[in-house]
Amino acid sequence: MAQAAQLVPGVTTVTPHARYFAIHGMVMAEAQARGLDKDATTDLLRRTEVAAAAVSFVHHGGHDSPTGRAHGTDSLAQRLRGGTLVMEEASAVGGYARNSWGFSGAYLGSEVTLGVLDQTRGPGETYDDVAVRGGIGRLLDLAREDELTLSDLAQDTGLCICAGPGRPDGRWLARLLCGKDERIAEDEATLSRRETIRLLARIVDTHDIRNLTEQVTDILAFGVFLSTDTVAAASPVAHRWRGVTLRNHAVSAWRRLWAWLVDQVVDVTHIDDVVAALLAELPAGTVGAWLSELPSTTGPDGAPAPAEVSLYDGYGAPAADLRVLCANAARVSELTGEIRKVFAGSPDHELTPAWLAANLDAQRSHSLHAFADRLVRQLLARSERVALMKTRRKADGTLWFPGRVRSLDGGWLYKTGAEGRGRVSLRLAQLGNVLVGSGVFADVGGRITVTALGRDLLV
């Protein structure tokens, strides 16, 4: 996640829509120009976000836009289906969003990184009021209305969250993302983001890409494209992306395996029973015999082969997840240079590929069941240790303990909830959405393409 943040600064897992960058910048510029206090500013912000949701709902007949659903649409669903929005009610705290700042909090860090806003939430150095108002200025007029009649919004579809491409605000954001605006600093963040977008554009140009997350991740992780394609081979971020995407297979397998172990804790369960549940999924024999049956992690050309993909068997398959982890750890001795540096981690840090590789090597002649037994106990102890590090005292004086599994005397365990098991996002889906929403990329019949604007900005 830290590496992804460095490679895609300005876009996070909770910033899926390009137009909200413009909306938030415009609202803060309007509040500054009118000298609004905090309450009036947050009221204007919430009303503007509600107006954007209403227009987007109308434009797509109640369905999602190509880049997803406008923020707050779910909470506004009943009012939207009724055909009218009383703005005071819809925009109230709890009406469409629980936070007084609406959905701007999710975007704030990214907007500060891009210079759209400053640290005080005021308009930043890269904000272009003329361009943004030229694209979505009418949203402020709608925000001031007492009531919105949805049938009247059909003429305002240019304000939809999908309508940024080709509009002044879309072109402004596209220049910022690609580092081609003279107001944005030529710093490491700008360069990393621009080179990542260039690499993605090259992949999109040379492949039939319909899912940025799955397809692009596999191209970055496996095969010879990064070394044989002239543009990719010259990319200063390609090796970092290979290391990150390969590491993500290990992180995802750990998450699935841990979630499965937590699911074995029912009511009050002894740790020995959790261990036994995993051992029942594994064959007898040594660690070395187990490792010898894994598929090759390199192809005939020496490039990484998709061993983790072939071994993956969905959730609820702990043996498959352990195989993924072991195959992934084998790459520690195969990778070199920056790829290995990003991928392997330190052998002194638990759960890194380097740590697992060292443990597997040291225990190659040991029983696989004994290895798995120690691993389960180590994971449970680590979970408690990490949770204790994150424990905080709440305002009412009680302690907040984030662990899902808690231990009692004598090795007994109980859980407070299920663990997350999804793949950790590398922000590629969100970056793709923002690039489509700003007109750098386009979705043409389900296929992602690079636009003429995108080609101009990525030269």
Side-chain angles (χ1 to χ4, degrees):
M1 290 175 69
Q3 286 287 342
Q6 293 175 20
L7 288 164
V8 194
V11 176
T12 72
T13 59
V14 291
T15 59
H17 297 302
R19 253 199 165 161
Y20 284 87
F21 291 85
I23 289 171
H24 300 151
M26 180 178 68
V27 168
M28 297 313 166
E30 178 75 2
Q32 184 181 81
R34 291 167 52 190
L36 301 182
D37 62 16
K38 178 183 176 181
D39 289 343
T41 298
T42 55
D43 180 63
L44 177 62
L45 173 65
R46 294 195 304 272
R47 283 171 166 264
T48 306
E49 288 189 335
V50 166
V55 170
S56 300
F57 181 87
V58 171
H59 187 201
H60 295 283
H63 300 290
D64 293 354
S65 81
T67 55
R69 187 171 306 173
H71 294 307
T73 303
D74 287 342
S75 296
L76 292 171
Q78 186 172 352
R79 292 185 175 95
L80 289 168
R81 285 194 292 268
T84 61
L85 287 179
V86 178
M87 289 297 279
E88 185 176 359
E89 296 175 356
S91 65
V93 175
Y96 84 107
R98 294 181 180 179
N99 195 293
S100 62
W101 286 97
F103 289 91
S104 67
Y107 287 78
L108 180 60
S110 295
E111 290 162 350
V112 170
T113 296
L114 290 171
V116 178
L117 299 180
D118 62 24
Q119 295 287 352
T120 67
R121 290 186 186 258
E125 293 182 356
T126 66
Y127 173 71
D128 187 335
D129 198 51
V130 173
V132 171
R133 288 179 189 261
I136 59 169
R138 179 162 158 70
L139 278 177
L140 292 175
D141 297 330
L142 296 178
R144 296 185 186 104
E145 295 289 340
D146 293 331
E147 184 174 286
L148 294 181
T149 301
L150 266 63
S151 59
D152 294 340
L153 299 180
Q155 61 183 347
D156 292 310
T157 54
L159 303 175
C160 178
I161 61 167
C162 77
R167 302 282 292 175
D169 61 305
R171 292 192 293 271
W172 158 76
L173 183 59
R175 290 196 302 272
L176 287 186
L177 292 168
C178 296
K180 289 292 187 174
D181 191 299
E182 64 278 3
R183 289 163 297 196
I184 195 165
E186 281 284 319
D187 56 15
E188 184 177 351
T190 299
L191 295 174
S192 292
R193 183 174 55 253
R194 181 164 65 211
E195 292 302 332
T196 289
I197 296 172
R198 279 179 172 165
L199 179 58
L200 294 184
R202 182 61 176 175
I203 292 173
V204 164
D205 264 345
T206 54
H207 298 77
D208 182 4
I209 300 299
R210 297 172 183 273
N211 185 309
L212 276 174
T213 300
E214 297 298 330
Q215 291 177 275
V216 170
T217 297
D218 284 350
I219 293 166
L220 290 170
F222 310 116
V224 299
F225 178 78
L226 295 190
S227 58
T228 59
D229 181 84
T230 55
V231 175
S235 170
V237 299
H239 284 184
R240 289 172 65 190
W241 271 112
R242 172 145 288 182
V244 168
T245 50
L246 287 172
R247 177 72 171 266
N248 198 30
H249 282 283
V251 174
S252 299
W254 280 123
R255 283 174 60 82
R256 291 191 301 269
L257 179 58
W258 172 243
W260 184 87
L261 290 171
V262 171
D263 282 349
Q264 308 315 301
V265 180
V266 180
D267 297 324
V268 177
T269 303
H270 199 275
I271 188 172
D272 290 346
D273 294 326
V274 177
V275 170
L278 178 59
L279 299 189
E281 300 285 333
L282 302 176
T286 65
V287 171
W290 164 268
L291 296 177
S292 69
E293 296 177 354
L294 296 175
S296 176
T297 50
T298 59
D301 45 29
E308 294 91 340
V309 176
S310 66
L311 291 169
Y312 171 69
D313 195 27
Y315 178 71
D321 287 327
L322 190 55
R323 289 188 177 95
V324 169
L325 288 165
C326 292
N328 189 262
R331 300 188 187 280
V332 172
S333 61
E334 300 167 352
L335 301 173
T336 60
E338 189 172 27
I339 299 175
R340 186 188 186 282
K341 180 181 177 181
V342 172
F343 164 76
S346 168
D348 297 326
H349 293 166
E350 287 178 312
L351 310 192
T352 64
W355 174 88
L356 182 58
N359 275 269
L360 289 169
D361 187 58
Q363 301 178 55
R364 187 173 288 269
S365 63
H366 295 196
S367 158
L368 177 63
H369 281 196
F371 172 80
D373 185 313
R374 287 190 292 272
L375 182 63
V376 172
R377 297 177 193 278
Q378 197 162 3
L379 289 174
L380 287 164
R382 184 180 189 277
S383 169
E384 188 165 35
R385 186 170 69 252
V386 171
L388 285 170
M389 290 171 59
K390 295 180 178 181
T391 298
R392 298 289 182 269
R393 187 179 298 279
K394 296 192 293 186
D396 62 4
T398 60
L399 291 179
W400 173 73
F401 180 84
R404 294 290 189 269
V405 175
R406 303 190 185 186
S407 60
L408 302 170
D409 291 342
W412 293 97
L413 309 168
Y414 72 98
K415 69 180 178 184
T416 59
E419 270 288 13
R421 61 196 63 171
R423 195 168 182 174
V424 173
S425 171
L426 297 180
R427 309 185 182 196
L428 291 176
Q430 292 80 10
L431 176 60
N433 258 11
V434 171
L435 292 173
V436 169
S438 61
V440 178
F441 289 176
D443 186 329
V444 181
R447 179 177 181 177
I448 307 299
T449 64
V450 183
T451 66
L453 173 64
R455 295 188 191 284
D456 288 343
L457 294 177
L458 295 172
V459 172

